[in-house]
Amino acid sequence: MKISINRQYFIEQLNHCLKAISPRTTLPILNGIKLEVKEDHLLLTGSDSEISIEITIPTEINNEEILEISETGTVVLSGRFFVDIIKKLSGNFVQLETNDAFQTKITASQSEFNLSGNDPDQYPLLPEVNDEESIILPSAVLKTIINQTNFAVSLSETRPVLTGVNWQFDDKGIQFTATDSHRLALRRLEGDQFGMDSMHAIIPGKSLNELNKIINDSDDEVEIHFSQNQVLISYGNMRFISRLLEGNYPDTSRLFPENYETKVTVNNGEFYHAIDRVSLLAREGGNNVIRMSVDDGNVALSSNSPEVGTVHEDISTGNVEGENLKISFNSRYMMDALKAINDDEVTIEFFGTMRPFTLKAAESDAVVQLILPIRTY
Amino acid sequence: MKISINRQYFIEQLNHCLKAISPRTTLPILNGIKLEVKEDHLLLTGSDSEISIEITIPTEINNEEILEISETGTVVLSGRFFVDIIKKLSGNFVQLETNDAFQTKITASQSEFNLSGNDPDQYPLLPEVNDEESIILPSAVLKTIINQTNFAVSLSETRPVLTGVNWQFDDKGIQFTATDSHRLALRRLEGDQFGMDSMHAIIPGKSLNELNKIINDSDDEVEIHFSQNQVLISYGNMRFISRLLEGNYPDTSRLFPENYETKVTVNNGEFYHAIDRVSLLAREGGNNVIRMSVDDGNVALSSNSPEVGTVHEDISTGNVEGENLKISFNSRYMMDALKAINDDEVTIEFFGTMRPFTLKAAESDAVVQLILPIRTY
């Protein structure tokens, strides 16, 4: 292969590609990026065998030449070294030339690197994704969905299905669920165009995290194709492929209680900052437990650390219904849940000191966050 | 004590004060900040017993009230918790009130913290600095001096004097020297006003580092007072006190050779970036060794990593004098030295493959950097 390529554009695409590469891979060749020069484009591939990212670089973008192809060919180059070199070179264009032994000469102005490359035949084939079912979302909507659910996936491998977000399709739309069994995040997306017959897919939280770093907060279309074991996400010049988690996702619908005992509406930002302050004295034990009380319409938060001191916060709320209450919870879970609710007013419904409570926007059920309390009273 | 204080201004001053506090102190009370409320000001003190920082907060700045004093008194509060609390509170002003048991109530809008405080009598007395000799420097000049020398101090405690920068006064000015015995940084500051009779003081590198984070790049005056074992630096409303290192600093004057064998003048930025690129393939062994050659007026850098590949850089220079040369050195030391020379043109003088070489600005001797080569040829 022999090409000349716009260095800044190349760096951006390589940075996306690196997101699929894990330094802890067991297959050494997966530390590399595969470069395939075809007649009229360059294809970059990075993979850690769970996530694969494929990027197509055309010769021109908006009539500006970004890639000049002198000779086709394929090579795999050590991802870390290769990208560092391209970043530190000077000049607008960089030249790459690979010989039969996959030795690759990289030149730009007065610099010349010769990198040992690997035989692309050693590089594993990407999984085939048969386009069985697919939907289209604006990237901003997908980003919001990821932000509202993905934080709640389990980080423990004891129940692998819980490390992913469950996408449950029904005839009216999609329900996204994530839980680590201490808290649960639920988001509904309504729309006939998403309607499918009771299909479900569990996408690993780690894959959604990496995808979230790549897609923009914009109207750009994201095409999502599901097959039996894989999901393929097409976005601009990129194909992002992730395996799906196998197994049955637990039925979480029965977790949501009805008929609250206590209902409180608070200002999202003020409540968030109050929790943040109160948790300052709750982090010593490592479990961030803070207490909340509802007493004759007055809402207060408190915490104490025996060696350090105590804290008390009064919460302004014009809206308290139902019984008095004392409850304790993990402040981190509460702050995550508040961030996931894109609304200034948040309604919290409690069902007693020992039962899970729920948070949602005052005016919408699209997002519901559920948190298990901690027994301290 | 009982006060009300402007929260933003208080946070800035507390952040400065925290720079003297080390989480690894052996004396637990030094994890705290001492607050002394006097009749007309508040005095903050932080210390790790090597560095102490004292900050005076007046009641008004530019006719704006920043501190209201209702009752004098003194308390020591856990630095980490106290500063985090003040930062996370809301409102422009925060109230502090300490009782006889040093319990301190911190209130702002709807928040109330009660922090356990410590008896200030347990707090060690700061060292007295008798004003024996002193000089005044603009803060920007002091910052430059620190940046040009402090990186070269030794990080190893085997020869403690080398962990500091030696300030050697003579009748014409001050010479600043730092060395870790692999490279040496030297800066001269000329001026009769600095002239003192052969006094010297070794200031710990760590103290200069912290000082550098606090002082601005401006014309503000910094007063530096030396006593037998301490240096006191007065800057605005702050007194910064550091112990001096005891012992004799080695005589480094004989290290500087005369009559170069090879002399090369390079563009500072271009040479720096070329070294940065070549060192990409030199970091594997951990010693960052790169090779430089001067051959009939052509200057080149190179390096290789057996598994990864090779790199070659041609260096543009209009100015090569003397013998041909092959030499190897640590690229990190070379990059540090180039950064310390505030000039676009750098002159490098070599005295043979095995002898130290020097770098300085093409037009000035104020800064001289000396680097020992590494035997590879």
Side-chain angles (χ1 to χ4, degrees):
Chain A
M1 60 171 264
K2 187 175 175 189
I3 58 170
S4 175
I5 184 164
N6 180 296
R7 202 168 63 84
Q8 277 313 323
Y9 181 80
F10 197 29
I11 291 169
E12 283 165 32
Q13 308 307 314
L14 288 169
N15 278 336
H16 290 327
C17 212
L18 275 184
K19 297 218 162 47
I21 292 178
S22 156
R24 285 183 300 279
T25 178
T26 46
L27 199 60
I29 199 163
L30 290 183
N31 284 317
I33 291 179
K34 183 161 76 163
L35 290 88
E36 291 177 81
V37 178
K38 311 277 193 183
E39 287 297 332
D40 63 353
H41 68 276
L42 163 62
L43 194 66
L44 303 177
T45 307
S47 175
D48 69 354
S49 78
E50 300 230 330
I51 303 173
S52 303
I53 295 176
E54 242 184 41
I55 291 172
T56 304
I57 298 179
T59 53
E60 284 187 3
I61 292 179
N62 301 330
N63 286 325
E64 191 190 332
E65 179 168 68
I66 52 160
L67 169 67
E68 187 189 332
I69 298 172
S70 307
E71 198 186 304
T72 62
T74 306
V75 68
V76 177
L77 294 173
S78 163
R80 192 187 112 204
F81 280 108
F82 181 59
V83 180
D84 279 354
I85 289 168
I86 302 298
K87 281 184 188 165
K88 294 204 169 178
L89 286 170
S90 62
N92 294 332
F93 274 75
V94 52
Q95 285 75 44
L96 303 181
E97 186 173 357
T98 299
N99 68 16
D100 292 344
F102 306 109
Q103 186 86 11
T104 302
K105 187 163 80 177
I106 306 164
T107 46
S109 68
Q110 294 179 299
S111 313
E112 177 181 317
F113 285 79
N114 276 285
L115 270 196
S116 305
N118 285 300
D119 183 349
D121 288 347
Q122 310 286 318
Y123 199 87
L125 290 175
L126 291 201
E128 288 285 320
V129 181
N130 301 314
D131 188 357
E132 297 176 6
E133 303 280 2
S134 72
I135 57 168
I136 294 177
L137 288 178
S139 59
V141 172
L142 180 57
K143 259 187 117 69
T144 305
I145 290 168
I146 294 174
N147 290 336
Q148 287 173 334
T149 53
N150 206 37
F151 65 88
V153 302
S154 173
L155 303 177
S156 146
E157 287 291 336
T158 48
R159 286 186 73 187
V161 290
L162 297 189
T163 62
V165 177
N166 189 40
W167 293 39
Q168 176 69 52
F169 293 81
D170 53 41
D171 53 0
K172 295 204 196 77
I174 318 173
Q175 182 152 303
F176 306 85
T177 309
T179 179
D180 60 7
S181 71
H182 302 290
R183 37 89 179 265
L184 181 146
L186 187 145
R187 162 75 200 251
R188 261 207 78 83
L189 183 68
E190 303 290 345
D192 288 344
Q193 70 275 37
F194 311 125
M196 284 189 218
D197 202 20
S198 71
M199 192 196 84
H200 88 113
I202 311 170
I203 306 183
K206 186 175 160 292
S207 303
L208 293 169
N209 241 341
E210 297 302 333
L211 180 64
N212 202 15
K213 291 178 197 162
I214 295 171
I215 60 177
N216 290 326
D217 202 357
S218 74
D219 284 339
D220 294 349
E221 277 192 358
V222 183
E223 274 181 52
I224 308 175
H225 308 265
F226 294 93
S227 73
Q228 188 66 32
N229 304 309
Q230 306 284 340
V231 57
L232 161 64
I233 293 144
S234 293
Y235 175 67
N237 65 341
M238 178 187 313
R239 282 158 48 94
F240 181 104
I241 299 166
S242 167
R243 74 180 175 104
L244 295 174
L245 293 171
E246 289 174 42
N248 289 315
Y249 201 81
D251 176 13
T252 57
S253 61
R254 286 166 311 170
L255 285 176
F256 292 89
E258 283 177 16
N259 305 322
Y260 62 83
E261 289 183 10
T262 314
K263 179 173 159 182
V264 175
T265 301
V266 292
N267 176 280
N268 196 337
E270 284 175 21
F271 194 57
Y272 180 92
H273 289 297
I275 302 234
D276 191 20
R277 284 191 290 271
V278 172
S279 69
L280 279 174
L281 295 194
R283 60 190 180 190
E284 286 301 83
N287 54 6
N288 295 307
V289 181
I290 68 174
R291 289 186 298 275
M292 178 166 170
S293 67
V294 181
D295 192 8
D296 291 344
N298 298 310
V299 178
L301 298 170
S302 65
S303 177
N304 69 69
S305 168
E307 305 242 309
V308 184
T310 62
V311 50
H312 179 96
E313 289 267 347
D314 288 319
I315 305 299
S316 326
T317 168
N319 204 332
V320 177
E321 291 173 29
E323 313 284 318
N324 285 347
L325 173 82
K326 283 178 189 290
I327 197 165
S328 296
F329 51 81
N330 182 318
S331 60
R332 193 67 252 161
Y333 294 168
M334 184 62 110
M335 288 165 76
D336 285 344
L338 291 167
K339 265 197 286 189
I341 295 171
N342 292 343
D343 204 297
D344 286 347
E345 295 280 292
V346 175
T347 297
I348 315 176
E349 293 184 357
F350 297 94
F351 305 85
T353 296
M354 293 314 305
R355 300 184 59 199
F357 57 92
T358 59
L359 290 85
K360 52 191 174 187
E363 305 290 333
S364 158
D365 285 343
V367 179
V368 184
Q369 303 286 334
L370 179 137
I371 297 172
L372 269 70
I374 291 167
R375 190 191 297 257
T376 58
Y377 282 104
Chain B
M1 60 171 266
K2 187 176 176 188
I3 59 170
S4 175
I5 183 164
N6 179 297
R7 202 168 62 84
Q8 278 312 325
Y9 180 81
F10 197 27
I11 291 170
E12 285 165 31
Q13 308 307 313
L14 288 169
N15 277 337
H16 289 326
C17 213
L18 275 184
K19 297 220 163 46
I21 292 178
S22 157
R24 286 182 300 278
T25 177
T26 46
L27 197 61
I29 199 162
L30 290 184
N31 284 317
I33 291 179
K34 184 161 77 162
L35 291 89
E36 290 177 80
V37 178
K38 309 278 192 182
E39 286 298 330
D40 62 352
H41 67 276
L42 163 61
L43 194 66
L44 303 177
T45 307
S47 175
D48 69 355
S49 78
E50 299 230 332
I51 302 175
S52 303
I53 295 176
E54 243 185 39
I55 292 172
T56 304
I57 298 179
T59 54
E60 286 187 0
I61 292 179
N62 301 330
N63 285 325
E64 192 190 332
E65 180 167 67
I66 52 160
L67 170 67
E68 188 189 332
I69 297 170
S70 306
E71 199 184 301
T72 62
T74 307
V75 67
V76 178
L77 294 173
S78 163
R80 191 187 112 204
F81 280 108
F82 181 59
V83 179
D84 279 355
I85 290 167
I86 302 298
K87 282 184 187 166
K88 294 206 167 175
L89 286 170
S90 61
N92 295 332
F93 273 75
V94 52
Q95 286 75 45
L96 304 181
E97 187 173 356
T98 299
N99 69 16
D100 292 342
F102 306 109
Q103 186 86 11
T104 302
K105 186 163 80 176
I106 306 165
T107 47
S109 68
Q110 292 178 301
S111 314
E112 178 181 319
F113 285 80
N114 276 285
L115 270 197
S116 304
N118 285 300
D119 184 348
D121 289 346
Q122 310 286 316
Y123 198 88
L125 291 177
L126 292 201
E128 289 285 320
V129 181
N130 300 315
D131 188 356
E132 295 174 10
E133 303 282 1
S134 71
I135 58 168
I136 295 177
L137 289 178
S139 59
V141 171
L142 180 57
K143 260 186 118 67
T144 306
I145 291 167
I146 294 173
N147 290 335
Q148 288 172 333
T149 53
N150 207 36
F151 65 87
V153 301
S154 172
L155 303 176
S156 146
E157 287 291 337
T158 48
R159 287 184 72 187
V161 290
L162 297 189
T163 64
V165 176
N166 188 42
W167 295 36
Q168 177 69 51
F169 293 81
D170 53 41
D171 52 0
K172 294 202 198 80
I174 318 173
Q175 181 153 303
F176 307 87
T177 309
T179 180
D180 60 6
S181 71
H182 302 291
R183 37 87 178 264
L184 181 147
L186 186 146
R187 160 77 200 251
R188 261 207 77 84
L189 183 68
E190 304 289 346
D192 288 346
Q193 71 274 35
F194 310 126
M196 283 191 222
D197 202 18
S198 71
M199 193 194 84
H200 88 114
I202 310 171
I203 305 183
K206 184 175 163 291
S207 303
L208 293 170
N209 240 341
E210 297 303 332
L211 180 64
N212 202 15
K213 292 179 196 160
I214 296 171
I215 61 177
N216 291 325
D217 201 356
S218 74
D219 284 339
D220 294 349
E221 277 192 357
V222 183
E223 276 181 51
I224 308 175
H225 307 265
F226 293 93
S227 73
Q228 189 65 33
N229 304 308
Q230 307 284 341
V231 57
L232 161 63
I233 293 145
S234 292
Y235 175 68
N237 65 341
M238 177 189 313
R239 282 158 48 94
F240 181 105
I241 300 167
S242 167
R243 75 177 174 104
L244 295 175
L245 293 171
E246 287 173 45
N248 290 316
Y249 200 82
D251 176 12
T252 57
S253 60
R254 284 166 312 169
L255 286 176
F256 292 89
E258 282 178 17
N259 304 322
Y260 61 84
E261 289 183 10
T262 315
K263 181 172 159 183
V264 174
T265 301
V266 292
N267 176 280
N268 195 338
E270 285 175 20
F271 194 59
Y272 180 93
H273 290 298
I275 301 235
D276 191 20
R277 284 191 292 269
V278 172
S279 71
L280 279 174
L281 295 194
R283 60 191 180 190
E284 288 299 84
N287 55 6
N288 295 309
V289 181
I290 69 174
R291 289 187 297 276
M292 178 167 171
S293 66
V294 179
D295 192 9
D296 290 343
N298 298 310
V299 178
L301 298 171
S302 65
S303 177
N304 69 69
S305 167
E307 306 243 308
V308 184
T310 61
V311 50
H312 178 95
E313 289 268 346
D314 288 318
I315 306 298
S316 328
T317 168
N319 205 332
V320 177
E321 292 173 30
E323 314 284 318
N324 285 348
L325 173 83
K326 285 176 187 291
I327 195 165
S328 296
F329 50 81
N330 182 318
S331 61
R332 193 67 251 159
Y333 294 167
M334 184 62 109
M335 289 165 75
D336 285 344
L338 290 168
K339 265 197 286 190
I341 295 173
N342 291 343
D343 205 297
D344 286 347
E345 295 281 292
V346 174
T347 297
I348 315 176
E349 293 183 356
F350 297 94
F351 305 84
T353 297
M354 293 314 304
R355 300 184 60 198
F357 57 91
T358 59
L359 290 86
K360 52 191 175 188
E363 305 291 333
S364 156
D365 285 344
V367 178
V368 184
Q369 303 285 335
L370 179 137
I371 297 174
L372 269 70
I374 292 167
R375 190 191 298 258
T376 59
Y377 283 105

